[in-house]
Structure formats: C-alpha cells, structure tokens
C-alpha cells in the first residue's frame, strides 16, 4: 500500500535539508520559539494556530474530498447496529440490519455483506453535531412487495427502500409532527388499493403520544388519520406490534398498554382504517412487547358470541407478553376478550389478569412467543437467552453470549431465532440445536448512547457513561496492514459501566470488513453474575497500551486494575489512598502472533514492571521498528528495554510442543531519567515526585537507534534523547511540552510533541520548526490524539469539538495543514500502518474513516466503501455478458465449420455493442476446478484477499481468449 515513490521524495528532502541547514539557522522565521508571555508562537506560528482553531467552521466531511495536497477522507464505513428487530426475509436467505446511518443486507448462508444503503447522513448544510442526531427508529418489510422495506427515522422521515438494489434512499413522506417513535405496516383491506398503511407512533411532546395511520401510494401525498391519543408522562419506550392481517394492534407507551381491534369496512369508499382501542396500566415500565393471535378451539367457543361493532369476534384469541424494566415478564392471556368484556372502550385498571414470570435481574430487553405458543424466549443484560415453558414455568438457558441480548426475532417457519447482541453482532440460531448458522459482527469498540439504555429506565446504583472519555487502544500489525486490532469489551453496556472496560482484543479485516477473531488480553467476567452484593458492576482490568513488534511477530500489552473507591469505604481516610496504591495490579504481557491464523499465545507476563515502594503506573509503551524490542516508561522515572531470550531450565534449553526453541521476555536495559539521573539505576529507588502529577511518553526513531522520552510534571516537562544501544542520555530538550502530555512521536528527523500545545522540533538542526496552540474547548483534551505516517512523511491530529472531531494532516516542515476535515462523530482511535500510507480513524459510532493521499491508490482501494465498488452490480453485468457470449457461440457452433473467414467477418453479431468478436473466434471458456481452487482456497476465509481482487481474477480467467489454430 505504500507509494513506491516515497523513499526518493524523502531522500530529496534530506539532501535539501543538509544543504540548507546552515542557512536556516540564520533565518528567524524558521525558528518560531514559544512565547512564554502569552502562550502563543509568533510570526507564522500564530497564523497556523488561528487556522487550527477555526477547524470547527469547516464543512462536515460526508464524502471523499481532495485536500490541498491530494489528501482525502473516505466515506464512513461500518457503524453500530441499532436496538431494532432484524429482518429475516420471507425466503430466509437475507438478513437486513439497521445501523445508525444505513441499512445493510447480509446473506444468511455465508454471513457476507451484500450491500449497504445509506439512510441518514449529515451534509455540509446540516449544523455540526446537531442534537439530537437523526437516527433510524424502525424498519419493517413491505407487505405488498417483499423487495422493499419501510424505514422510519426520528425526524419523521419515512423511506421506502428497495433493498435488492444498491441505490440511494430518498424519503417517501414525512410525518405530520416531524417525529417517529415506532412503526408497523399493515395491508389494505380495500379491494383494488395499491397502497400500504403505515401506523406510526409520534410524540411531539413528552407527555403526549399519538398513533397516526398513513396511506402511502407511489408518487402521491399520503393520506393520514389520527387513531389514538394518549396523555402519559414518563421516560419509557414506545412500542408497536400488529397481526399479519392488521386486524389487531398492540402497543405500549411507558407503563400503559393499549390494544386495538379493527372495525369492519363499511362500503367500498377507500378510507383509512378505524380501530377500537382498550388501554390499561401495566405493573412496570414496558421495555419489550410481543403478540400472538390464533383461533379459539371450537369446544371453548360453543357458547361464545361475536362482539357487536368489532371485526374480531370471540373466536379470536390474543395473547400479549411484555417485559418490564425491573426484570419481570407479564403474560396477558386472551387479552382482547377480557378487555371487550369490560364494556365500552376505557382505561381498565382492574379486570385484566396477568401471569408473572421473573428471572432477569435487570430489564427484559427482548421477549418473543414461539411459533406454537408453548414457549417464549427472553433476553437481557445477563448475556443469556432464556427459553420459558409457559405451562410449567420451566427454563432452559443458552448462557455465556458475547454481549447483552437486545433483540430476538422468530423466523416465519419457526426453525430459526435471530438474536442481536449489544456487542455489535447478530446471529441466526437453529431452534433444534441452538447453534449459530449465521454470524455478522462489526467493530465492537465503545460507542455513545443513541437512546436511553433499557436498564436505566429505572434508577440503579450504577450508571453507564454517555460518552467515550479516553482513547481506545488500537494498532495495525506491520506484517498485515489489512487488519485493525482494537480493544473492546463484553458488549456496549459492560464496556461503559463503571470504570471503562475493554479487556478483549478484536481483529477486524478492513478489506472484507468482517470480524476475524477476538481474544482476552486481561481478566474478564464472562458470567451472568457480574454484580457485587450491593448491586455495583464488577470492574474489569483496563488495557491501556498495545504495540506490535517491528516484524509483527510479537504483541505487547499493558493492563491495569485497582480497587474501586466504593470497595474501601470501611478503610480510614488516611490509609485509603495507600491501600488502593498497594493493591494495584499492573501487568506487562508479551504475546506471540502465530503465522497463518493470526492467533496469539501468551508467552511472558511481567508483574509490576515499574515499582518503588508500591506498583507504579506504566505511562507508555513503544516498539522498536528495526528489531524485536519494546520500551516502557514508568512513573518511577525509569525507562526499561525488553527483549526475548532463550528459555532454559537448569541450564537446558526448553523445547516447545513441536520441538522448537522457546523464549521468554526479560528486561535487558534500565535507564534512569528525571529525578533518578544522579542516582544508581535501580527499580527500588524511591521518588519524591507525586505519581499523580508525573507524566510520560516514549517513542523510537525511524531507524531504532534513538529513544525519545518525554517525562516530568505538568510545569517541568523535559524530552530526553537516549542512545538505544548504550542507554546513555545524549541530551535533554526543554520547553517542548507543558500541561497535560498526550503523546510524543518521531517522524524522520523531527520530533512531534503533543500536550496542551503541539510542537514540531528538528533534531538535526536543533531548532523548533513551529508550534500550534490547541483550542481549550470543553472536553477537547479527552480524545486529543496524534499519529505519524512514515510512508508519506506526514502526521495527523484529531481534535474533539463538542460532539464531533476535526482531523488535520500536517507536513512536519510546513505549518500549513495539507488537509483539515470534520467528522460528525468523535474520533476515539487514530492509528497508522507502519508499512502502508494513510491513517485509520475510528469514531464513537463504530465507523471507520480512512485518511490517505489520493495519489496512492493502493491505500484507498482496499478500504473503499461497498456502495462505491458496486460489486453486486458489476458481477451481475459480467455474468450477463459472459452468458451472452456463450449463447452466441453455441448458436453459431453448427455453422462454424462451413463458414469462411470472410463470411464470418461480414456477419454481424446480434449484440454488437456487448460482444466484440474481433478477428479471433471465441469459444466457450472451460475452467478447471484447480484454477478456481487456486483463487478461492489460496488462504483461509479470514485471510483471503478482498472480494474485488477475487472478482477480477475470476473474470480474468473467463475473459481469456483461446489460442488461434
């Protein structure tokens, strides 16, 4: 992916710098020192600072835009699955999932993405970080044409999308209140009507809910009619469910449950349906709802009489099941008959009997009837699917799922369950074996709340954070630039509850855009009992740093854990801080990356790699790009180098399972910096510096010969230049950082130091190139990140501003940025591939943005969005052309021997514009099984090349001309 012209460019720059080194030492404008009086640089540095401060005034990047130097930012890819029931098509061959800005279609047989159809996007005219953001609230399959799906958005826009085609979605109409909370689609009961009826729950005010019916016809203004108005204050959910024929409607508003039955049609005049509603209060806030309708047995209906004025009579049984916010499940047997027996439509607080089931500790996220009605299925935040037998109350469990259960859908045949989990994954389970047959997973990193979590509809002793407050560790293996490795947790709720929890490492393929694997880097709590006896969530260790070795064969990770303040309430105030410090756990782990499948095995674990009288924080981790070596810097003022060595026992080398030599990792060099420079280099040396105020960051030079370590307090920051071979401190540089230190990186002969300000320092000429003042916006320092691209010689900076982020790409020699763009979401990870050009940015909506140079096509082709490649359309067109070629060849095969060359040149093919015969005669292409096996079986599925590459390889075989006789 790297540009082959880059090394020459860098060599030319190096020669130019050596030639002009003496001249620039005398130019005052190239040496822009930091002004200590006003905190800003002078001359051109002030102009650059002003330009960075104005990042929030630039348009939102919703499409690929070229920068000043050919740099561009891609369209967002991926996203977060919403808390909406997935759609399994009628033939059960495709799975339609709703994301925050799109709907995506996957095949149920191989779990591959077919197409992505954007729904809601921010354009340049939309206000930046608009609140609340527009999201998809409901998706329903069309009852007239199963090739279409109805999509409702929170701003009231209703889309009619043909999911079988890759086309841009355009709004069909907008609700009268410009809001939408829930939606169902019912068929029309009138003969000759070509429209569909949409029932939409709208809530323009917090204490008022309205159910409105819309009749939508192609190319016409929809007719509407208000069916029900409920005045119910609260902060609950709005739910809707309907029967297949649309005769019975059930819904929920906060803790109010309403049931509607369609009135009979009078006359042939087309009009919107009319429902007779009954409503009653539920014992709890309703978080999930399902309805089952069936005919009453004749023995039970012998003396029944049909209700007058109602389409559904006493021979129809309606069973409703609801899940509560406090963990209870309520079953309303024969709810319609019981509601009608009360009399006139009214609020019935009494007379509706219910059957209660309880197992879930928190809210019931999803509950569904089985097809036969003998069972129902429920799920919640316990990461367990529960199967209930209605008559006996007996339970069966499917435990240890990878996240909280958000949605459950029963297929039309009852042979499969579609389960959506809050770790951004969805799977199809067979009801017989309860084993997954289809699995779809996106990036499972921490994201912001789209809506209030169901578990927080009632007050809890714990709470989940509504924003990502710290950068998420991520890295790209130098030996495989197509995979992004990012730290994730056991679902969104588990990640954001209490202390930030991300003990797992997910490997995500950027080419096929699928999850490859996920494994634990630290201790996890994979059980349903993940709460203390006081109801608090159990804190998991935090993975703070990860880094790959220069050859990609090793991964180093750092995880930390400390007791929560609420766990030491019984300790006196004087000893509380000391108690927490002494019981803090800090581990440095080294993982071997196995070739082939890319799995990792733990080889060594270093307990408290930096310690004085108590465990000290490990501030940063860096990898040597030229050798197998890692460097760490701790709050004890020590830099340690770690290298592998042969493992031995009693002087005998230890062999592995396959007879290979085994290794272990150990500290090879100890370098004292900071307050320890005048003392002996020992890990036991005490320090008077407060550990809470000490900051540090470390990096290697491009050739691995030099280590740059930034260390010190907020008001006394120093950068130490260390010889990596000898461990000697060559020199110290002051004034490069102050305040909160974020990162230090080396790029060619420059040092980029990011703290409260950004400084670019020339190591060769020992001068400050320029400095940039970072805006002091609220919360801007939380996700301020820096990354360097050695292939292109550029560095990137992300600055959070409100609910979005600004991405800037800079040349270390020029203060003028080559690209500045805004993203509608906050960037939580920014990484670069050591062997590729460009940057990969991950936002808090689980979307990936690629920032790369337009002149480097290899950096963009592997991460181009699917709707831009249009592989489904290209494949179908190629198949039609090939079929036409073979058909023409077969039709002319009988006359081929008798026709002369001149006659064949005079004859024109029937599809001249599609088939160019040329001077050679085409014959049907016969492909051997070995040729196809070389393409499709060249590597395992997770390591296979992109779909585009395999497509062109296959078409290359088909398009090969036969040899002329």
């Amino acid at each position: 992916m790297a540009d082959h012209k880059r090394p020459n460019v860098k060599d030319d720059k190096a020669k130019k710098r050596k030639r002009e080194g003496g001249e620039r030492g005398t130019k005052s404008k190239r040496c822009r020192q930091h002004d200590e009086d006003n905190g800003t640089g002078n001359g051109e540095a002030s102009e650059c600072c002003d330009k960075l401060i104005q990042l929030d005034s630039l348009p939102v990047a919703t499409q690929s835009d070229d920068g000043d130097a050919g740099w561009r930012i891609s369209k967002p890819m991926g996203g977060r699955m919403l808390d909406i029931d997935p759609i399994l098509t009628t033939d059960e061959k495709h799975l339609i999932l709703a994301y925050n800005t799109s709907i995506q279609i996957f095949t149920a047989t191989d779990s591959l993405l077919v197409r992505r159809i954007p729904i809601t996007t921010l354009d340049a005219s939309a206000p930046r970080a608009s609140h609340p953001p527009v999201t998809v609230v409901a998706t329903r399959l069309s009852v007239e044409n199963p090739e279409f799906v109805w999509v409702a958005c929170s701003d009231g826009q209703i889309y009619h999308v043909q999911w079988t085609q890759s086309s841009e979605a355009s709004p069909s109409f907008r609700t009268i209140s410009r809001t939408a909370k829930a939606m169902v689609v019912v068929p029309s009961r009138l003969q000759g009507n070509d429209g569909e009826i949409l029932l939409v729950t709208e809530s323009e005010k917090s204490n008022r809910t309205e159910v409105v019916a819309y009749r939508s016809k192609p190319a016409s203004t929809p007719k509407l009619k208000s069916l029900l108005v409920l005045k119910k204050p609260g902060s609950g959910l709005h739910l809707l469910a309907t029967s297949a024929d649309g005769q019975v409607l059930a819904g929920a508003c906060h803790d109010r449950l309403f049931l509607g039955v369609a009135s009979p049609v009078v006359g042939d005049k087309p009009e919107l349906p009319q429902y007779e509603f009954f409503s009653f209060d539920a014992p709890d806030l309703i978080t999930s709802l399902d309805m089952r309708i069936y005919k009453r047995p004749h023995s039970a209906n012998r003396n029944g009489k049909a209700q007058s004025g109602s389409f559904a009579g006493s021979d129809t049984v309606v069973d409703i099941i609801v899940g509560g916010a406090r963990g209870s499940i309520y079953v309303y047997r024969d709810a319609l008959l019981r509601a009608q027996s009360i009399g006139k439509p009214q609020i019935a607080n009494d007379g509706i009997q219910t059957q209660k089931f309880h197992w879930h500790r928190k809210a019931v996220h999803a509950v569904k009837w089985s097809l036969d009605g003998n069972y129902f299925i429920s799920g919640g935040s316990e990461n367990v699917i529960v199967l209930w037998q209605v008559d006996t109350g007996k339970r069966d469990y499917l435990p240890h799922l990878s996240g909280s259960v958000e949605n459950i859908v029963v297929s039309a045949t009852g042979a499969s369950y579609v389960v959506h989990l809050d770790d951004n994954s969805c799977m199809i389970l067979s009801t017989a074996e309860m084993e997954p047959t289809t699995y779809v997973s996106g990036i499972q990193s921490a994201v912001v709340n789209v809506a209030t979590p169901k578990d927080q509809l009632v007050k809890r002793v714990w709470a989940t954070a509504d924003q990502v407050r710290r950068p998420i560790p991520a890295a790209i293996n130098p030996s495989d630039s197509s995979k992004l490795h990012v730290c994730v947790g056991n679902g969104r709720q588990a990640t954001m509850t209490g202390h930030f929890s991300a003990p797992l490492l997910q490997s995500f393929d950027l080419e096929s855009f699928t999850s490859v694997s996920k494994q634990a880097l630290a201790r996890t709590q994979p059980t349903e009992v993940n709460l203390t006896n006081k109801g608090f969530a159990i804190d998991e260790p935090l993975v703070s740093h990860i880094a790959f070795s220069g050859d990609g064969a090793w991964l180093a990770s750092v995880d930390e854990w400390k007791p929560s303040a609420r766990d030491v309430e019984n300790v006196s105030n004087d000893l509380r801080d000391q108690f927490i410090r002494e019981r803090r756990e800090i581990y440095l782990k080294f993982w071997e990356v196995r070739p082939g499948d890319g799995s990792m095995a733990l080889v060594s674990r270093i307990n408290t790699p930096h310690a004085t009288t108590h465990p000290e924080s490990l501030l940063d981790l860096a990898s040597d790009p030229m050798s197998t070596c890692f460097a760490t810097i701790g709050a004890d003022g020590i830099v340690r180098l770690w290298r592998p060595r042969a493992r031995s026992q009693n002087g005998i080398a230890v062999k592995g399972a396959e007879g290979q030599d085994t290794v272990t990792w150990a500290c090879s060099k100890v370098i004292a910096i900071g307050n320890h420079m005048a003392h002996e280099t020992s890990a036991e040396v005490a320090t008077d510096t407060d550990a809470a105020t000490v900051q540090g960051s470390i990096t290697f030079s491009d050739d691995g010969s030099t280590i740059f370590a930034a260390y010190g307090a907020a008001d006394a920051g120093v950068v130490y230049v260390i010889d990596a071979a000898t461990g000697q401190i060559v020199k110290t540089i002051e004034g490069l950082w102050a305040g909160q230190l974020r990162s230090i990186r080396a790029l060619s002969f420059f040092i980029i130091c990011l703290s409260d300000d950004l400084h670019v320092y020339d190591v060769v000429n020992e001068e400050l190139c320029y400095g940039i003042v970072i805006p002091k916006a609220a919360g801007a320092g939380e996700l301020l990140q820096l990354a360097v691209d050695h292939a292109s010689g550029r560095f990137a900076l992300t600055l959070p501003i409100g609910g979005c982020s600004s991405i800037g790409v800079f040349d270390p020699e020029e203060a003028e940025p080559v690209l500045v763009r805004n993203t509608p979401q906050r960037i939580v990870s920014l990484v670069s591939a050591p062997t590729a050009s460009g940057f990969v940015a991950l936002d808090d909506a689980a979307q990936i943005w690629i920032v790369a140079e337009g002149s480097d096509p290899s950096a963009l082709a592997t991460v181009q969005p699917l709707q831009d490649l249009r592989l489904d359309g290209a494949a179908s067109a190629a198949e039609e052309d090939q079929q036409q070629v073979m058909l023409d060849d077969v039709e002319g095969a009988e006359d081929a021997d008798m026709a002369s060359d001149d006659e064949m040149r005079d004859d024109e093919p029937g599809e001249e514009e599609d088939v160019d015969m040329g001077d050679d005669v085409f014959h049907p292409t016969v492909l051997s099984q070995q040729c196809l096996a070389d393409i499709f079986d060249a590597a395992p599925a997770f390591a296979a090349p992109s779909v585009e590459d395999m497509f062109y390889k296959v078409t290359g075989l088909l398009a090969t001309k036969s040899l002329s006789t």
Side-chain angles (χ1 to χ4, degrees), residues 636-638 671-682 685-687 709 711 718-722 727-734:
D636 56 349
I638 300 293
I671 306 169
I673 60 175
N675 295 334
H676 299 303
M677 291 181 60
H679 302 278
E680 295 294 332
T681 58
S682 174
V685 178
T687 177
Y711 179 80
V718 180
V719 175
Y720 299 89
V721 182
I722 305 172
Q728 299 295 322
I729 299 177
V730 179
K731 63 179 178 180
T732 59
I733 307 173
E734 298 182 355

mmCIF file of all heavy atoms in Angstrom, residues 636-638 671-682 685-687 709 711 718-722 727-734:
data_model
loop_
_atom_site.group_PDB
_atom_site.id
_atom_site.type_symbol
_atom_site.label_atom_id
_atom_site.label_comp_id
_atom_site.label_asym_id
_atom_site.label_seq_id
_atom_site.Cartn_x
_atom_site.Cartn_y
_atom_site.Cartn_z
ATOM 1 N N ASP A 636 8.006 5.811 37.924
ATOM 2 C CA ASP A 636 9.186 5.794 38.784
ATOM 3 C C ASP A 636 10.380 6.480 38.139
ATOM 4 O O ASP A 636 11.468 6.506 38.726
ATOM 5 C CB ASP A 636 9.548 4.350 39.134
ATOM 6 C CG ASP A 636 9.761 3.481 37.900
ATOM 7 O OD1 ASP A 636 9.422 3.946 36.789
ATOM 8 O OD2 ASP A 636 10.246 2.342 38.039
ATOM 9 N N GLY A 637 10.210 7.029 36.921
ATOM 10 C CA GLY A 637 11.310 7.705 36.246
ATOM 11 C C GLY A 637 12.317 6.758 35.640
ATOM 12 O O GLY A 637 13.493 7.112 35.498
ATOM 13 N N ILE A 638 11.894 5.588 35.264
ATOM 14 C CA ILE A 638 12.773 4.574 34.689
ATOM 15 C C ILE A 638 12.276 4.205 33.307
ATOM 16 O O ILE A 638 11.071 4.007 33.099
ATOM 17 C CB ILE A 638 12.849 3.313 35.568
ATOM 18 C CG1 ILE A 638 13.375 3.652 36.962
ATOM 19 C CG2 ILE A 638 13.711 2.243 34.918
ATOM 20 C CD1 ILE A 638 14.810 4.091 36.994
ATOM 21 N N ILE A 671 17.248 2.388 32.241
ATOM 22 C CA ILE A 671 17.755 3.739 32.008
ATOM 23 C C ILE A 671 17.019 4.683 32.946
ATOM 24 O O ILE A 671 15.788 4.771 32.895
ATOM 25 C CB ILE A 671 17.556 4.171 30.548
ATOM 26 C CG1 ILE A 671 18.170 3.135 29.590
ATOM 27 C CG2 ILE A 671 18.131 5.558 30.308
ATOM 28 C CD1 ILE A 671 17.792 3.339 28.150
ATOM 29 N N ALA A 672 17.744 5.357 33.802
ATOM 30 C CA ALA A 672 17.145 6.274 34.761
ATOM 31 C C ALA A 672 17.074 7.670 34.162
ATOM 32 O O ALA A 672 18.042 8.172 33.579
ATOM 33 C CB ALA A 672 17.950 6.299 36.055
ATOM 34 N N ILE A 673 15.925 8.300 34.269
ATOM 35 C CA ILE A 673 15.724 9.669 33.800
ATOM 36 C C ILE A 673 15.048 10.457 34.922
ATOM 37 O O ILE A 673 14.738 9.923 35.986
ATOM 38 C CB ILE A 673 14.880 9.722 32.513
ATOM 39 C CG1 ILE A 673 13.495 9.114 32.760
ATOM 40 C CG2 ILE A 673 15.578 9.008 31.372
ATOM 41 C CD1 ILE A 673 12.564 9.235 31.569
ATOM 42 N N GLY A 674 14.816 11.709 34.704
ATOM 43 C CA GLY A 674 14.089 12.517 35.683
ATOM 44 C C GLY A 674 14.899 12.694 36.939
ATOM 45 O O GLY A 674 16.107 13.005 36.920
ATOM 46 N N ASN A 675 14.283 12.494 38.091
ATOM 47 C CA ASN A 675 14.935 12.693 39.381
ATOM 48 C C ASN A 675 15.974 11.624 39.691
ATOM 49 O O ASN A 675 16.703 11.741 40.669
ATOM 50 C CB ASN A 675 13.892 12.711 40.503
ATOM 51 C CG ASN A 675 12.954 13.888 40.376
ATOM 52 O OD1 ASN A 675 13.303 14.910 39.798
ATOM 53 N ND2 ASN A 675 11.750 13.748 40.927
ATOM 54 N N HIS A 676 16.026 10.537 38.882
ATOM 55 C CA HIS A 676 16.957 9.443 39.165
ATOM 56 C C HIS A 676 18.259 9.574 38.388
ATOM 57 O O HIS A 676 19.096 8.687 38.450
ATOM 58 C CB HIS A 676 16.310 8.102 38.795
ATOM 59 C CG HIS A 676 15.071 7.819 39.582
ATOM 60 N ND1 HIS A 676 15.066 7.793 40.944
ATOM 61 C CD2 HIS A 676 13.803 7.566 39.187
ATOM 62 C CE1 HIS A 676 13.843 7.524 41.368
ATOM 63 N NE2 HIS A 676 13.051 7.391 40.326
ATOM 64 N N MET A 677 18.462 10.655 37.629
ATOM 65 C CA MET A 677 19.655 10.739 36.798
ATOM 66 C C MET A 677 20.931 10.777 37.630
ATOM 67 O O MET A 677 21.982 10.321 37.202
ATOM 68 C CB MET A 677 19.587 11.975 35.904
ATOM 69 C CG MET A 677 18.522 11.887 34.830
ATOM 70 S SD MET A 677 18.505 13.359 33.792
ATOM 71 C CE MET A 677 20.174 13.308 33.147
ATOM 72 N N ALA A 678 20.830 11.325 38.829
ATOM 73 C CA ALA A 678 22.024 11.418 39.669
ATOM 74 C C ALA A 678 22.199 10.203 40.560
ATOM 75 O O ALA A 678 23.138 10.136 41.337
ATOM 76 C CB ALA A 678 21.963 12.681 40.525
ATOM 77 N N HIS A 679 21.305 9.233 40.480
ATOM 78 C CA HIS A 679 21.360 8.053 41.349
ATOM 79 C C HIS A 679 21.685 6.821 40.522
ATOM 80 O O HIS A 679 21.727 6.844 39.293
ATOM 81 C CB HIS A 679 20.017 7.867 42.073
ATOM 82 C CG HIS A 679 19.619 9.059 42.895
ATOM 83 N ND1 HIS A 679 20.101 9.294 44.145
ATOM 84 C CD2 HIS A 679 18.781 10.092 42.599
ATOM 85 C CE1 HIS A 679 19.591 10.416 44.619
ATOM 86 N NE2 HIS A 679 18.788 10.925 43.695
ATOM 87 N N GLU A 680 21.903 5.742 41.222
ATOM 88 C CA GLU A 680 22.118 4.468 40.550
ATOM 89 C C GLU A 680 20.810 4.009 39.916
ATOM 90 O O GLU A 680 19.737 4.224 40.459
ATOM 91 C CB GLU A 680 22.610 3.425 41.551
ATOM 92 C CG GLU A 680 23.984 3.723 42.147
ATOM 93 C CD GLU A 680 25.089 3.667 41.113
ATOM 94 O OE1 GLU A 680 24.931 2.919 40.130
ATOM 95 O OE2 GLU A 680 26.091 4.364 41.269
ATOM 96 N N THR A 681 20.931 3.351 38.783
ATOM 97 C CA THR A 681 19.745 2.873 38.078
ATOM 98 C C THR A 681 19.228 1.625 38.765
ATOM 99 O O THR A 681 19.724 0.523 38.563
ATOM 100 C CB THR A 681 20.108 2.555 36.617
ATOM 101 O OG1 THR A 681 21.138 1.581 36.620
ATOM 102 C CG2 THR A 681 20.584 3.792 35.901
ATOM 103 N N SER A 682 18.243 1.815 39.570
ATOM 104 C CA SER A 682 17.654 0.702 40.312
ATOM 105 C C SER A 682 16.169 0.901 40.389
ATOM 106 O O SER A 682 15.690 2.018 40.569
ATOM 107 C CB SER A 682 18.242 0.603 41.718
ATOM 108 O OG SER A 682 17.562 -0.387 42.454
ATOM 109 N N VAL A 685 14.676 2.514 43.746
ATOM 110 C CA VAL A 685 14.936 3.881 44.174
ATOM 111 C C VAL A 685 13.623 4.603 44.384
ATOM 112 O O VAL A 685 12.759 4.605 43.523
ATOM 113 C CB VAL A 685 15.807 4.630 43.148
ATOM 114 C CG1 VAL A 685 16.030 6.073 43.586
ATOM 115 C CG2 VAL A 685 17.129 3.923 42.986
ATOM 116 N N ALA A 686 13.437 5.247 45.505
ATOM 117 C CA ALA A 686 12.202 5.964 45.800
ATOM 118 C C ALA A 686 12.248 7.332 45.151
ATOM 119 O O ALA A 686 13.303 7.881 44.857
ATOM 120 C CB ALA A 686 12.022 6.095 47.304
ATOM 121 N N THR A 687 11.106 7.895 44.946
ATOM 122 C CA THR A 687 10.985 9.212 44.321
ATOM 123 C C THR A 687 10.112 10.095 45.184
ATOM 124 O O THR A 687 9.168 9.623 45.819
ATOM 125 C CB THR A 687 10.396 9.117 42.909
ATOM 126 O OG1 THR A 687 10.251 10.431 42.388
ATOM 127 C CG2 THR A 687 9.056 8.419 42.920
ATOM 128 N N ALA A 709 12.179 10.209 25.065
ATOM 129 C CA ALA A 709 11.316 10.010 26.228
ATOM 130 C C ALA A 709 10.931 11.365 26.794
ATOM 131 O O ALA A 709 11.808 12.157 27.172
ATOM 132 C CB ALA A 709 12.014 9.170 27.289
ATOM 133 N N TYR A 711 9.180 13.186 29.870
ATOM 134 C CA TYR A 711 8.886 12.816 31.259
ATOM 135 C C TYR A 711 8.960 14.060 32.138
ATOM 136 O O TYR A 711 9.772 14.955 31.902
ATOM 137 C CB TYR A 711 9.886 11.772 31.750
ATOM 138 C CG TYR A 711 9.672 11.342 33.189
ATOM 139 C CD1 TYR A 711 8.705 10.414 33.522
ATOM 140 C CD2 TYR A 711 10.452 11.897 34.203
ATOM 141 C CE1 TYR A 711 8.504 10.029 34.843
ATOM 142 C CE2 TYR A 711 10.264 11.521 35.525
ATOM 143 C CZ TYR A 711 9.280 10.587 35.838
ATOM 144 O OH TYR A 711 9.082 10.217 37.143
ATOM 145 N N VAL A 718 10.290 17.653 30.203
ATOM 146 C CA VAL A 718 11.578 17.553 29.526
ATOM 147 C C VAL A 718 11.520 16.381 28.565
ATOM 148 O O VAL A 718 10.857 15.377 28.838
ATOM 149 C CB VAL A 718 12.737 17.370 30.535
ATOM 150 C CG1 VAL A 718 14.081 17.269 29.811
ATOM 151 C CG2 VAL A 718 12.771 18.515 31.531
ATOM 152 N N VAL A 719 12.215 16.489 27.434
ATOM 153 C CA VAL A 719 12.368 15.398 26.481
ATOM 154 C C VAL A 719 13.813 14.926 26.542
ATOM 155 O O VAL A 719 14.749 15.720 26.357
ATOM 156 C CB VAL A 719 12.004 15.836 25.052
ATOM 157 C CG1 VAL A 719 12.301 14.716 24.055
ATOM 158 C CG2 VAL A 719 10.546 16.237 24.973
ATOM 159 N N TYR A 720 13.998 13.630 26.810
ATOM 160 C CA TYR A 720 15.319 13.031 26.919
ATOM 161 C C TYR A 720 15.618 12.273 25.632
ATOM 162 O O TYR A 720 14.802 11.470 25.165
ATOM 163 C CB TYR A 720 15.392 12.086 28.112
ATOM 164 C CG TYR A 720 15.131 12.757 29.443
ATOM 165 C CD1 TYR A 720 13.836 12.855 29.950
ATOM 166 C CD2 TYR A 720 16.178 13.295 30.180
ATOM 167 C CE1 TYR A 720 13.595 13.470 31.169
ATOM 168 C CE2 TYR A 720 15.941 13.914 31.404
ATOM 169 C CZ TYR A 720 14.654 14.004 31.888
ATOM 170 O OH TYR A 720 14.410 14.622 33.086
ATOM 171 N N VAL A 721 16.797 12.522 25.074
ATOM 172 C CA VAL A 721 17.273 11.826 23.882
ATOM 173 C C VAL A 721 18.249 10.757 24.347
ATOM 174 O O VAL A 721 19.311 11.080 24.923
ATOM 175 C CB VAL A 721 17.929 12.795 22.889
ATOM 176 C CG1 VAL A 721 18.363 12.050 21.632
ATOM 177 C CG2 VAL A 721 16.986 13.929 22.541
ATOM 178 N N ILE A 722 17.919 9.472 24.109
ATOM 179 C CA ILE A 722 18.663 8.344 24.662
ATOM 180 C C ILE A 722 19.212 7.504 23.528
ATOM 181 O O ILE A 722 18.504 7.210 22.547
ATOM 182 C CB ILE A 722 17.760 7.484 25.572
ATOM 183 C CG1 ILE A 722 17.122 8.348 26.665
ATOM 184 C CG2 ILE A 722 18.544 6.336 26.177
ATOM 185 C CD1 ILE A 722 16.070 7.621 27.472
ATOM 186 N N GLY A 727 22.231 3.082 26.081
ATOM 187 C CA GLY A 727 21.389 3.526 27.173
ATOM 188 C C GLY A 727 21.798 4.861 27.749
ATOM 189 O O GLY A 727 21.258 5.278 28.786
ATOM 190 N N GLN A 728 22.742 5.542 27.143
ATOM 191 C CA GLN A 728 23.198 6.836 27.625
ATOM 192 C C GLN A 728 22.256 7.944 27.168
ATOM 193 O O GLN A 728 21.753 7.928 26.047
ATOM 194 C CB GLN A 728 24.615 7.124 27.123
ATOM 195 C CG GLN A 728 25.654 6.128 27.599
ATOM 196 C CD GLN A 728 25.833 6.170 29.120
ATOM 197 O OE1 GLN A 728 25.803 7.238 29.731
ATOM 198 N NE2 GLN A 728 26.026 4.993 29.720
ATOM 199 N N ILE A 729 22.056 8.921 28.030
ATOM 200 C CA ILE A 729 21.255 10.100 27.687
ATOM 201 C C ILE A 729 22.147 11.067 26.938
ATOM 202 O O ILE A 729 23.107 11.630 27.491
ATOM 203 C CB ILE A 729 20.669 10.744 28.950
ATOM 204 C CG1 ILE A 729 19.743 9.753 29.673
ATOM 205 C CG2 ILE A 729 19.916 12.017 28.600
ATOM 206 C CD1 ILE A 729 19.173 10.282 30.961
ATOM 207 N N VAL A 730 21.841 11.267 25.656
ATOM 208 C CA VAL A 730 22.666 12.108 24.808
ATOM 209 C C VAL A 730 22.472 13.575 25.148
ATOM 210 O O VAL A 730 23.423 14.338 25.304
ATOM 211 C CB VAL A 730 22.377 11.828 23.325
ATOM 212 C CG1 VAL A 730 23.217 12.722 22.421
ATOM 213 C CG2 VAL A 730 22.614 10.360 22.998
ATOM 214 N N LYS A 731 21.228 14.001 25.261
ATOM 215 C CA LYS A 731 20.929 15.389 25.602
ATOM 216 C C LYS A 731 19.489 15.462 26.078
ATOM 217 O O LYS A 731 18.709 14.510 25.943
ATOM 218 C CB LYS A 731 21.145 16.312 24.412
ATOM 219 C CG LYS A 731 20.235 16.042 23.220
ATOM 220 C CD LYS A 731 20.516 17.040 22.104
ATOM 221 C CE LYS A 731 19.627 16.741 20.887
ATOM 222 N NZ LYS A 731 19.884 17.697 19.795
ATOM 223 N N THR A 732 19.151 16.611 26.632
ATOM 224 C CA THR A 732 17.791 16.889 27.075
ATOM 225 C C THR A 732 17.294 18.139 26.371
ATOM 226 O O THR A 732 18.070 19.067 26.098
ATOM 227 C CB THR A 732 17.733 17.084 28.591
ATOM 228 O OG1 THR A 732 18.582 18.173 28.958
ATOM 229 C CG2 THR A 732 18.166 15.827 29.321
ATOM 230 N N ILE A 733 15.995 18.157 26.085
ATOM 231 C CA ILE A 733 15.361 19.286 25.388
ATOM 232 C C ILE A 733 14.231 19.788 26.271
ATOM 233 O O ILE A 733 13.331 19.019 26.631
ATOM 234 C CB ILE A 733 14.820 18.862 24.006
ATOM 235 C CG1 ILE A 733 15.911 18.181 23.180
ATOM 236 C CG2 ILE A 733 14.259 20.068 23.261
ATOM 237 C CD1 ILE A 733 15.413 17.587 21.887
ATOM 238 N N GLU A 734 14.259 21.042 26.598
ATOM 239 C CA GLU A 734 13.242 21.635 27.441
ATOM 240 C C GLU A 734 12.323 22.535 26.623
ATOM 241 O O GLU A 734 12.704 23.025 25.557
ATOM 242 C CB GLU A 734 13.885 22.441 28.573
ATOM 243 C CG GLU A 734 14.733 21.612 29.514
ATOM 244 C CD GLU A 734 15.307 22.433 30.649
ATOM 245 O OE1 GLU A 734 15.106 23.677 30.630
ATOM 246 O OE2 GLU A 734 15.961 21.867 31.538
#
